[in-house]
Structure formats: structure tokens, C-alpha cells
Amino acid sequence: MGRRRAADNTMLLDENRIIIETRSGSHAYGTNIESSDEDFRGIYIPTKEYFLGFAKTFEQFEFKEPHDRVLYDIRKYFKLAVDANPNILEICWCRDEDIIRITKLGEKLRAHGELFLSKRCRFSYAGYAHSQILRIKRHKSWLLNPPKKKPERKDYGLPENRRLVPRDWVEAISQSDLTKDENKISEVPEELIDAARREKSFKDAMEHWQHYSDWKETRNPKRAELEAKHFFDTKHGSHVLRLLISCIEILEGKGLIVYRPDRDYLKAVRNGLLTYDELLEEADKLDKRAEELYQTSTLRHTPDINFLDALCVEIVEEELNIK
């Protein structure tokens, strides 16, 4: 593929420095459909200047064309994997069939994939799932009750061309619970408190409008069809269940199963098998099961940082000696 620049234009991509690259996303899970995009993730070891010097930095290459492709600096990979980042962990746990390229150092890293698994997955996987649920809820509210117009300052009794309260005051005053006697500030007039709250309400409304506008303008057409048909994002719903089920499997000691044995079920969820309420109910049930397992799992609470740090050093040293 030649040499391409990193996102920060400080470095050219040398394909020979990739120690592993794999398929990711739906093609790795087995939940892809005919129109699914292909995604790739990999690990890259830069030249010694990026380790020994101070002027050059590198975290990742990221490309959108012809496919979604991200190549992580090996140190960034280790940091994210130790934190049980779902997308990152998959590189060491995907099927052999989904490995695009791999070197001996990539094989060494994959051989230690189990050492990255810990109880931290309870928080990382559930965190990703919960963020998806919040997105589903927000998008559903926009589908059923979209904002009617862009907010205007006059809607909140505010002058058009000037603030009644400085920006930093707005946050400080509006976020304080001044309804409690012990929090009342005698030096701040009620009129100022009221103005701050109206400024905050307008600011929140504008942010909500901007999020809605961005979603409406940039949403994927095929995703929009699913939302229009089922009144919620069933693809996000499928991701929620996959994340929580994977979390349960890890806590049960089964490892990270990337290519899903339940892929037909997950594809059915994507196609509307569950209603909105059924999805939330199932997600809640899985989340409670994950919490139970977190309490009883024999998995380590956190990975062995010292061992993994030494492994990272060993791999980098071997690569730099080779190159």
C-alpha cells in the first residue's frame, strides 16, 4: 500500500512496521450484512526516534478511505488494552481467519492476550453499552418528538446581543443547589441567580439543538431506515447486547469470543426482533448478571501491569534491533 502520513502529518506510514492487523467490527463478529463496511485495526511500532527523542510524537494512523482503518502505536495499544477497551482487546482475540497480517512479534503479543483480561471489563464493556443505550434513548426522543425550531435567546427572556451573566458565573451558579439554606449566597441577588439559570437553560437548549442537527444531517441513510421502521436504533441495540454478553463471558472465564456464536440472534435484534422496551429489559437483565459475576469471578481485578510493561519493552526492543 506504500507510505501514507499519520493524522498529525509528522510521520509517514511504513507498512513493514505493522506487527499485526485484523478485521474488526461486524465482519469480525460475524454479524455483517451485504452493505456492512469493512473495518481494520492494527498495532504499529515506530522508528527509534519516536522512543528516544522528544520532538516527534505518534499515537496512531487513522484512515477513512477506502476502509475505516486505525493503526495504534504499541504503547497506546497496551494502555488501552490494560483498561479493557473492547475494540482494542479484540485484536488479540479475533479468529486467525480475520488476521490480515502478522509478524513473529505480533504472534508473541497474541500469545499473551489472556493477560489483558481482568474484572475491569465490567466497567469498560458496561460503560460502552450504557453509552449506546443513552444514544438510543436520545435518538428515539428525536424521532418521536423532534425539536421544532432553533432556540432563541428571547425564548428565555434574554437580550439578543449580550449576556446577563458571565459564562463562568453561569456554570457556577446554575450548578449549585441554591434551594438549600446552607448553600444560599447572601451576596448574590435573586435576580442574578435567575438570570444565570435562564442563561444555562438557553445554553443547554442550544447544545441539544446542535446535537439534533448534526444527527439529522450526518446519520447513515440505512441506519435512518431502521430507526424509521422500528422507532429506535436497532443496530445500536444489537451492539448493547453483544457488549454485555461478551462482558459476562469474560467474567465467566471463557475469554473474549470475538466471532459471535450468537451472531444470528444479534442480527435478528438488528432487524427488529426486540421492541424498544424488550431491548432495555434484556440489557438490564444482562447488566445485573454481569454485576453478580463481578462479585464472584476468579478473574484478576487488574492486569499485571509490571509484566505487561516488560512485555511491551521486550517487543519494542526486538523490533528496533531488527529494523
Side-chain angles (χ1 to χ4, degrees):
M1 292 181 65
R3 294 162 67 87
R4 300 178 67 182
R5 287 192 179 277
D8 59 4
N9 293 320
T10 61
M11 180 180 179
L12 288 171
L13 167 62
D14 181 352
E15 298 278 345
N16 294 319
R17 306 196 74 86
I18 300 170
I19 65 169
I20 182 172
E21 184 171 4
T22 71
R23 288 187 181 85
S24 63
S26 61
H27 285 269
Y29 309 141
T31 58
N32 57 293
I33 58 176
E34 186 176 347
S35 60
S36 295
D37 295 329
E38 286 197 272
D39 304 311
F40 301 92
R41 299 289 180 268
I43 303 171
Y44 189 90
I45 301 181
T47 54
K48 65 181 181 181
E49 292 84 357
Y50 290 85
F51 293 93
L52 304 179
F54 74 92
K56 297 180 179 180
T57 60
F58 169 70
E59 285 196 350
Q60 67 188 51
F61 288 101
E62 186 169 354
F63 307 108
K64 295 298 183 184
E65 299 293 339
H67 306 290
D68 187 341
R69 186 186 189 207
V70 183
L71 300 171
Y72 299 96
D73 171 80
I74 188 168
R75 292 161 295 181
K76 182 171 184 179
Y77 175 83
F78 268 78
K79 290 177 182 177
L80 293 174
V82 162
D83 287 336
N85 180 291
N87 295 328
I88 292 294
L89 287 177
E90 292 168 3
I91 294 175
C92 277
W93 286 86
C94 70
R95 299 182 305 167
D96 290 345
E97 299 96 300
D98 290 317
I99 298 175
I100 305 303
R101 69 184 79 193
I102 190 168
T103 67
K104 289 184 178 179
L105 294 179
E107 290 173 351
K108 175 182 286 191
L109 179 58
R110 268 177 67 90
H112 291 87
E114 188 171 351
L115 297 182
F116 290 107
L117 299 185
S118 72
K119 286 189 175 184
R120 286 185 176 182
C121 72
R122 168 70 184 108
F123 308 105
S124 60
Y125 278 73
Y128 272 71
H130 292 159
S131 68
Q132 296 281 321
I133 289 174
L134 289 176
R135 189 177 300 179
I136 289 171
K137 290 181 176 180
R138 182 168 65 246
H139 292 181
K140 182 176 176 63
S141 72
W142 289 338
L143 286 166
L144 299 179
N145 187 29
K148 294 179 174 58
K149 71 180 187 69
K150 182 178 180 179
E152 299 181 56
R153 290 181 61 81
K154 65 181 181 180
D155 299 334
Y156 298 84
L158 299 169
E160 190 63 33
N161 298 316
R162 65 184 178 88
R163 291 179 175 276
L164 292 180
V165 182
R167 188 187 300 272
D168 53 345
W169 286 26
V170 169
E171 295 298 328
I173 295 175
S174 62
Q175 291 182 12
S176 300
D177 187 358
L178 299 180
T179 60
K180 296 181 178 180
D181 291 338
E182 63 267 25
N183 290 339
K184 288 188 179 298
I185 307 174
S186 58
E187 294 82 1
V188 180
E190 287 292 335
E191 293 80 2
L192 185 60
I193 295 173
D194 177 66
R197 287 173 174 161
R198 284 185 282 126
E199 289 279 10
K200 181 65 163 56
S201 296
F202 172 70
K203 176 176 176 290
D204 291 344
M206 279 298 295
E207 289 179 354
H208 182 77
W209 171 262
Q210 190 60 55
H211 288 315
Y212 168 71
S213 300
D214 292 344
W215 169 75
K216 187 175 181 181
E217 292 173 9
T218 62
R219 61 202 292 228
N220 182 290
K222 293 187 179 298
R223 185 77 63 86
E225 289 179 15
L226 287 174
E227 291 177 326
K229 182 178 180 179
H230 304 289
F231 294 101
F232 75 98
D233 192 328
T234 53
K235 185 174 181 180
H236 279 319
S238 177
H239 289 324
V240 167
L241 300 189
R242 175 182 56 79
L243 285 163
L244 291 172
I245 293 170
S246 295
C247 178
I248 288 171
E249 291 169 345
I250 293 172
L251 292 171
E252 287 176 334
K254 297 177 181 177
L256 175 54
I257 305 172
V258 179
Y259 188 71
R260 300 303 311 160
D262 54 356
R263 54 192 176 277
D264 289 338
Y265 168 69
L266 293 173
K267 289 168 74 171
V269 171
R270 185 188 187 279
N271 291 327
L273 174 67
L274 302 180
T275 66
Y276 174 75
D277 289 335
E278 288 171 340
L279 173 72
L280 296 184
E281 182 179 350
E282 181 64 16
D284 183 62
K285 182 174 69 175
L286 292 171
D287 188 63
K288 288 177 179 175
R289 176 58 180 156
E291 179 58 27
E292 292 173 358
L293 286 168
Y294 176 76
Q295 303 300 328
T296 61
S297 175
T298 58
L299 214 57
R300 60 176 67 89
H301 280 275
T302 60
D304 186 337
I305 305 297
N306 292 330
F307 181 90
L308 289 172
D309 186 58
L311 176 64
C312 183
V313 171
E314 181 181 325
I315 291 175
V316 170
E317 285 183 336
E318 288 190 45
E319 174 70 9
L320 295 182
N321 286 336
I322 292 171
K323 302 299 182 186

